[in-house]
Amino acid sequence: MDMQGSGYKAGEAAPVQHVRLAGGGTAAALNPAAIHHRDELLVGEVIDIAGSASRILLDGPALQRLSESADAAVAMAGQVGAQVKVRVGNVWLVASIRDQQLHERGEGLIVATIDFLGEGDEEKLTGRIHNFRRGVTRYPVPGSPVFAATSPDLKQIYAADERAHVEVGTVYPTKDIRGSLYVDAMLGKHFALLGSTGTGKSTSAALILHKICELAPQGHIVMIDPHGEYSAAFKSTGALFDVDNLAMPYWLMNFEEHCEVFVTAEGRDRQADCDVLARCLLQARGKNRLAEGMTKITVDSPIPYLLSDLLNILSNEMGKLDKATSSAPFMRIKGKIEEMRADPRYNFMFSGMLVADTMANFIGKIFRLPSDGRPISIIDVSGVPSDITSVVVAVLSRLTFDYAIWSRGEPQRPILLVCEEAHRYIPAKDVGQGQAVRKILERIAKEGRKYGVSLGLITQRPSDLAEGVLSQCGTIISMRLNNERDQHFVKAAMPEGARGFIDSIPALRNRECIVCGEGVSIPIRVYLDTLEEEKRPASSDPLFSKLWRETGGEAEILDRVVKRWRSQGR
């Protein structure tokens, strides 16, 4: 772009009739409407048009001049991730700059790849954008002039429409334009929140959930919290459950979950043990008076049974064996059941007090039916023994899905299931322990939205998630990811138009994220709001330099810790 000899002085608008573009044309051919608004925003021209990514030629000196603008959006013009606009007829096309390189001719010319985000109509008086919508109906021709987008333009582009939404932060690079998430679109098609440790992921999750709870005080949210972080954040708006008050009846487990808990054998023996357990479990369920009027009972039916009944049936069946049949499967299962019944760590699930038919009460308290102004359940599984944590999560996830299926025909109560550390429960490997939880969460990801079950996945290792689960998430909120493999995974899951944003993932600050997909009108980079102290999760990093200067009271600390440790109390 040649601006020499135009009589242009710094700080003045360049007279349009003198601005000669790199292709040799002039800007005088532009629509005269609102020309004063645009003449000094001219930064280049279109040189290559393609369906997804196109290229533009930028003028380095013009960008340098605009970098001193008081308007933050204009000052960012030409940078990777910044927005530019191109006029086609009476419509403005808005594009995001993906990458750039110096033109082989030099002369301050820069070639940049752009992704078109959408289009808006032109206001006749000001030349600004209004009525912005996603997608492009008409593409510009090579040679079309390119302009920097202004803050008023971005306000129109990012303005939330009348759909239900929550404001979560400020759109980069502006200071006052609010970034919003459309709640129905985000929850209707699942969402994922990704970010390396220390990027503010837990606080961001708390912020988004607090905003949703404010919008929907009668909501139904279940959060699986593996580290006990979120209880502190939702004291006033949530129902808090841990091993002391969860009281989850063991008989709610289906057959596959029973096998994960009670069957310890591997290989060929495992199948024999499972067959024995199926036969005996069906008999134990059938002994309950609830089963009397039912014609069809399966090993999966959530009908209460006594552990003592199951043990007696195992003994009886073992007594009927002929000498040729091994009693080992019966002995292994009996040994495991007796061991778990005697171990106080499993009392929250295998206590003798959990035999009554409390299914409706349990589902009501976990799913917040009714919510009583506390729409979120925080299930702290940090105190659950590690060998059955995945089964506990599997039962809670499956109950969410099964409730949605069996409540069809009733007034609908959609449920949001939020899984922190999701890579633990939906691992990429499909062998070994924890397959029940993997199967149900994969099923919710694929089919949940048909039944009104939404899934929110929070993870620091997206590359460790089962393949395909991330691509089922309609909205992806990505914070900084330091690992290159994780970045590649997220890139593959994000829509084409957001690719330019992806490249800035390693450069994001703490509490900054990129949002793309159904929950936003166009991909945005947002600096998230600060959350009040009492609403933050207990996940702050220890300050070694400060804490290592403190001393005193170590003997008492050790006494208290050892006492809690031994009694398995938290």
Side-chain angles (χ1 to χ4, degrees):
M1 189 183 294
D2 181 9
M3 297 195 177
Q4 300 305 312
S6 64
Y8 169 79
K9 293 193 184 85
E12 290 180 5
V16 174
Q17 64 273 22
H18 291 299
V19 178
R20 288 200 305 282
L21 298 167
T26 72
L30 298 177
N31 175 23
I35 213 139
H36 177 73
H37 166 68
R38 281 190 269 134
D39 51 14
E40 60 185 9
L41 298 178
L42 184 66
V43 291
E45 68 179 6
V46 176
I47 56 171
D48 184 15
I49 285 290
S52 55
S54 303
R55 291 190 304 155
I56 59 175
L57 193 64
L58 295 171
D59 177 40
L63 296 177
Q64 192 64 41
R65 172 171 57 83
L66 292 179
S67 67
E68 295 168 13
S69 169
D71 183 332
V74 174
M76 285 283 296
Q79 292 192 25
V80 171
Q83 278 73 41
V84 291
K85 55 185 184 176
V86 183
R87 203 167 174 286
V88 180
N90 61 347
V91 169
W92 281 114
L93 295 188
V94 178
S96 170
I97 295 179
R98 185 195 293 191
D99 59 33
Q100 49 187 217
Q101 61 194 71
L102 207 58
H103 192 277
E104 57 194 16
R105 228 169 64 209
E107 299 177 18
L109 297 174
I110 299 163
V111 180
T113 307
I114 57 170
D115 295 308
F116 286 110
L117 301 173
E119 59 188 26
D121 300 327
E122 179 184 44
E123 261 179 18
K124 291 294 179 209
L125 291 174
T126 62
R128 289 175 184 164
I129 295 171
H130 73 106
N131 188 26
F132 180 82
R133 59 256 174 207
R134 208 171 184 168
V136 175
T137 50
R138 286 174 64 191
Y139 284 95
V141 294
S144 301
V146 175
F147 300 89
T150 63
S151 283
D153 291 334
L154 296 187
K155 247 189 185 118
Q156 279 295 324
I157 293 166
Y158 294 120
D161 54 32
E162 63 282 355
R163 289 182 287 167
H165 62 273
V166 291
E167 293 182 352
V168 292
T170 311
V171 176
Y172 176 87
T174 67
K175 296 283 187 289
D176 58 345
I177 298 175
R178 302 293 288 155
S180 301
L181 299 173
Y182 295 117
V183 174
D184 294 325
M186 182 174 95
L187 301 186
K189 293 186 179 154
H190 312 311
F191 70 93
L193 173 58
L194 318 168
S196 296
T197 305
T199 54
K201 194 166 72 281
S202 304
T203 312
S204 306
L207 170 72
I208 292 167
L209 291 174
H210 272 301
K211 297 276 187 182
I212 292 172
C213 289
E214 285 166 21
L215 182 76
Q218 300 302 322
H220 310 282
I221 304 171
V222 180
M223 176 165 217
I224 311 290
D225 175 14
H227 300 305
E229 295 175 334
Y230 291 90
S231 298
F234 292 95
K235 279 196 201 84
S236 56
T237 53
L240 314 176
F241 300 99
D242 58 17
V243 287
D244 296 327
N245 66 345
L246 182 59
M248 185 169 90
Y250 56 87
W251 48 262
L252 281 176
M253 294 190 292
N254 67 11
F255 175 59
E256 186 179 10
E257 290 148 5
H258 269 91
C259 288
E260 284 206 9
V261 175
F262 291 151
V263 177
T264 52
E266 296 294 332
R268 195 180 299 167
D269 288 344
R270 186 173 181 82
Q271 189 55 52
D273 289 17
C274 289
D275 293 344
V276 166
L277 181 59
R279 202 163 67 239
C280 299
L281 180 60
L282 187 57
Q283 286 183 50
R285 289 203 196 275
K287 287 175 90 75
N288 191 295
R289 61 184 175 77
L290 286 172
E292 287 168 11
M294 297 184 187
T295 53
K296 187 182 170 192
I297 295 175
T298 70
V299 282
D300 289 333
S301 302
I303 292 172
Y305 70 89
L306 291 169
L307 282 174
S308 54
D309 279 348
L310 182 56
L311 288 167
N312 288 337
I313 290 165
L314 281 162
S315 296
N316 292 341
E317 289 289 311
M318 196 161 54
K320 294 177 189 171
L321 295 176
D322 55 38
K323 286 192 168 64
T325 314
S326 169
S327 61
F330 298 88
M331 298 300 291
R332 282 194 292 263
I333 295 169
K334 273 188 74 176
K336 187 65 180 174
I337 293 172
E338 284 164 350
E339 175 195 321
M340 296 191 91
R341 201 163 61 150
D343 192 332
R345 293 178 305 152
Y346 300 100
N347 275 354
F348 74 95
M349 195 171 177
F350 292 99
S351 160
M353 309 295 290
L354 298 173
V355 180
D357 180 14
T358 53
M359 188 169 174
N361 289 343
F362 181 75
I363 287 174
K365 76 176 183 181
I366 295 298
F367 297 158
R368 313 307 304 137
L369 297 162
S371 60
D372 296 327
R374 289 176 173 258
I376 185 166
S377 286
I378 305 293
I379 317 284
D380 175 2
V381 294
S382 60
V384 173
S386 57
D387 56 336
I388 65 162
T389 304
S390 68
V391 173
V392 171
V393 178
V395 172
L396 293 167
S397 307
R398 186 180 49 75
L399 287 176
T400 310
F401 192 66
D402 284 356
Y403 174 79
I405 288 175
W406 295 110
S407 65
R408 294 180 91 178
E410 301 290 338
Q412 206 172 11
R413 300 285 184 267
I415 297 170
L416 166 61
L417 177 67
V418 184
C419 237
E420 171 71 273
E421 298 282 10
H423 57 275
R424 284 190 188 184
Y425 308 119
I426 325 176
K429 61 177 191 295
D430 57 357
V431 289
Q433 282 291 89
Q435 291 309 302
V437 67
R438 182 181 189 268
K439 280 181 195 166
I440 186 60
L441 288 174
E442 280 189 326
R443 192 172 176 201
I444 291 174
K446 288 170 186 161
E447 304 171 31
R449 64 192 183 87
K450 298 178 198 165
Y451 302 105
V453 179
S454 176
L455 188 61
L457 301 177
I458 305 171
T459 179
Q460 55 190 307
R461 291 307 310 270
S463 59
D464 286 349
L465 280 175
E467 197 176 350
V469 170
L470 203 55
S471 56
Q472 297 286 344
C473 295
T475 307
I476 292 180
I477 304 164
S478 180
M479 309 189 79
R480 189 174 68 248
L481 287 164
N482 301 328
N483 185 292
E484 196 174 341
R485 191 159 153 258
D486 290 332
Q487 293 164 20
H488 175 71
F489 238 73
V490 177
K491 203 172 214 171
M494 280 200 178
E496 186 71 28
R499 295 290 164 88
F501 285 81
I502 308 289
D503 295 331
S504 57
I505 282 179
L508 293 174
R509 297 172 291 173
N510 283 3
R511 295 221 332 270
E512 199 171 31
C513 65
I514 283 160
V515 190
C516 72
E518 304 290 337
V520 284
S521 49
I522 60 170
I524 55 174
R525 181 172 167 180
V526 180
Y527 189 67
L528 294 164
D529 292 339
T530 306
L531 200 54
E532 297 95 319
E533 192 70 47
E534 69 276 8
K535 291 184 176 179
R536 288 183 201 166
S539 60
S540 53
D541 296 329
L543 299 171
F544 287 80
S545 58
K546 178 172 173 278
L547 296 174
W548 279 359
R549 289 196 188 108
E550 297 173 5
T551 187
E554 279 80 2
E556 292 81 2
I557 292 172
L558 282 169
D559 284 344
R560 289 193 297 268
V561 170
V562 169
K563 191 175 178 184
R564 279 200 300 273
W565 200 336
R566 282 185 175 144
S567 64
Q568 296 291 307
R570 297 182 61 72

